[in-house]
Amino acid sequence: MKIIVEKDYESMSKKAGKILIDTIKANPKIVLGLATGSTPIGLYKELIRSHREDDLDFSNVTTFNLDEYIGISKDHPNSYGYFMYEELFKHINIPMNNTHIPHGEAEDLEEYCKYYDDLIQSHGGIDIQVLGIGENGHIAFNEPSEYLSIGTSIVELTDNTIKANSRFFGSEGEVPKSAISMGIGGILKARKIILLASGETKAPIIGKLLRTKGISTMIPASFLLLHPNVTVIVDEAAYKEMR
Ligand code: F6R
């Protein structure tokens, strides 16, 4: 695991942005794995800036998102589909057909999970996967538990995650209780992984992750230790416990 510590959220986002921009320039047909949440917004702003100022071309880029809530429509302002459109897709020249978000309203969700994994593989797999991390160590919506899913699956959100995500909804009661999420095995299939963490609330889990001696299903992000090409980019605040 390569660790990069940046001063603040802005420089963390710029650093991650540069890695992605350089890779897209080198491989315009790249397959990106994308995350939602507060953390990657600055990175997406960097991609938009590069598209506007340097003509960074997304016309051949393909994207797959990690997860989506079950029980809210894709047009709901808190759906991850809506988030991706507002924060990235509508500002760049990516054909919407090239973007993929798990379909939380699929009729047969179990069948759909298999289809989503197959779809990723039919595009040659993910070249770079962007990840955030939950305060409880979740990546995508793989929550700490005795077993972690290998492929895309339906997951129940923990109280901790519902509480953390309630900031985007009116109240905790409005946060969906379940989601479709790529599994740990799917994430580990990506050729390169970039995990971002910013702010003091992430300091305890970043400390735990970087100090852990092995893997534990109770720290889902610890499975990244099995991957040969992971870069963790954090800001000073998230790195606080390692000083
Ligand atoms: C979102 C996702 C989640 C978030 C995590 C951190 O697609 O997969 O694992 O990355 O919950 O969220 P933020 O960035 O809002 O702190």
Side-chain angles (χ1 to χ4, degrees):
M1 233 182 217
K2 184 176 167 195
I3 320 290
I4 300 174
V5 184
E6 290 288 332
K7 188 167 158 286
D8 52 21
Y9 179 75
E10 204 190 336
S11 46
M12 178 201 75
S13 303
K14 284 209 160 84
K15 183 77 187 181
K18 181 156 172 30
I19 296 174
L20 252 70
I21 292 163
D22 288 349
T23 321
I24 296 168
K25 281 182 184 160
N27 174 14
K29 292 190 176 169
I30 196 164
V31 179
L32 295 178
L34 299 179
T36 55
S38 314
T39 313
I41 292 178
L43 158 65
Y44 297 154
K45 286 203 162 77
E46 276 300 297
L47 298 182
I48 296 165
R49 185 197 54 71
S50 178
H51 172 66
R52 288 192 181 141
E53 294 173 11
D54 312 323
D55 280 336
L56 183 65
D57 181 21
F58 288 87
S59 59
N60 291 306
V61 170
T62 300
T63 66
F64 286 93
N65 265 75
L66 288 168
D67 39 23
E68 178 60 285
Y69 290 118
I70 292 174
I72 56 176
S73 84
K74 68 178 193 321
D75 307 320
H76 188 288
N78 286 119
S79 79
Y80 287 168
Y82 188 92
F83 173 99
M84 287 310 300
Y85 184 70
E86 289 298 316
E87 299 296 340
L88 181 63
F89 300 150
K90 79 173 186 188
H91 306 283
I92 57 176
N93 66 330
I94 190 161
M96 284 308 286
N97 280 346
N98 290 10
T99 69
H100 306 90
I101 317 262
H103 187 13
E105 293 180 297
E107 232 166 74
D108 185 338
L109 285 167
E110 301 273 355
E111 220 17 72
Y112 182 80
C113 289
K114 282 191 220 119
Y115 164 79
Y116 197 68
D117 286 335
D118 290 347
L119 193 64
I120 295 174
Q121 290 319 305
S122 73
H123 282 78
I126 290 171
D127 292 306
I128 300 193
Q129 175 66 58
V130 175
L131 295 177
I133 182 168
E135 288 167 32
N136 61 4
H138 73 216
I139 47 175
F141 273 134
N142 297 286
E143 303 279 24
S145 66
E146 191 178 354
Y147 293 98
L148 295 176
S149 182
I150 295 166
T152 296
S153 71
I154 301 160
V155 292
E156 299 305 315
L157 306 190
T158 61
D159 291 345
N160 179 301
T161 300
I162 291 174
K163 198 167 173 211
N165 289 7
S166 65
R167 68 192 194 277
F168 301 114
F169 291 80
S171 66
E172 279 182 38
E174 286 173 58
V175 183
K177 306 284 175 284
S178 56
I180 294 192
S181 173
M182 264 171 71
I184 294 287
I187 292 171
L188 291 179
K189 275 189 190 152
R191 285 181 265 283
K192 181 180 172 73
I193 297 176
I194 297 177
L195 181 135
L196 303 176
S198 162
E200 277 192 21
T201 56
K202 299 290 169 71
I205 188 61
I206 290 297
K208 215 169 173 185
L209 175 66
L210 299 184
R211 284 201 191 97
T212 181
K213 298 274 182 290
I215 51 173
S216 162
T217 59
M218 297 315 285
I219 314 173
S222 66
F223 279 75
L224 298 175
L225 293 164
L226 295 171
H227 193 282
N229 192 352
V230 178
T231 302
V232 176
I233 311 178
V234 293
D235 63 10
E236 291 280 359
Y239 198 68
K240 209 173 87 178
E241 295 207 351
M242 298 301 291
R243 292 281 182 223

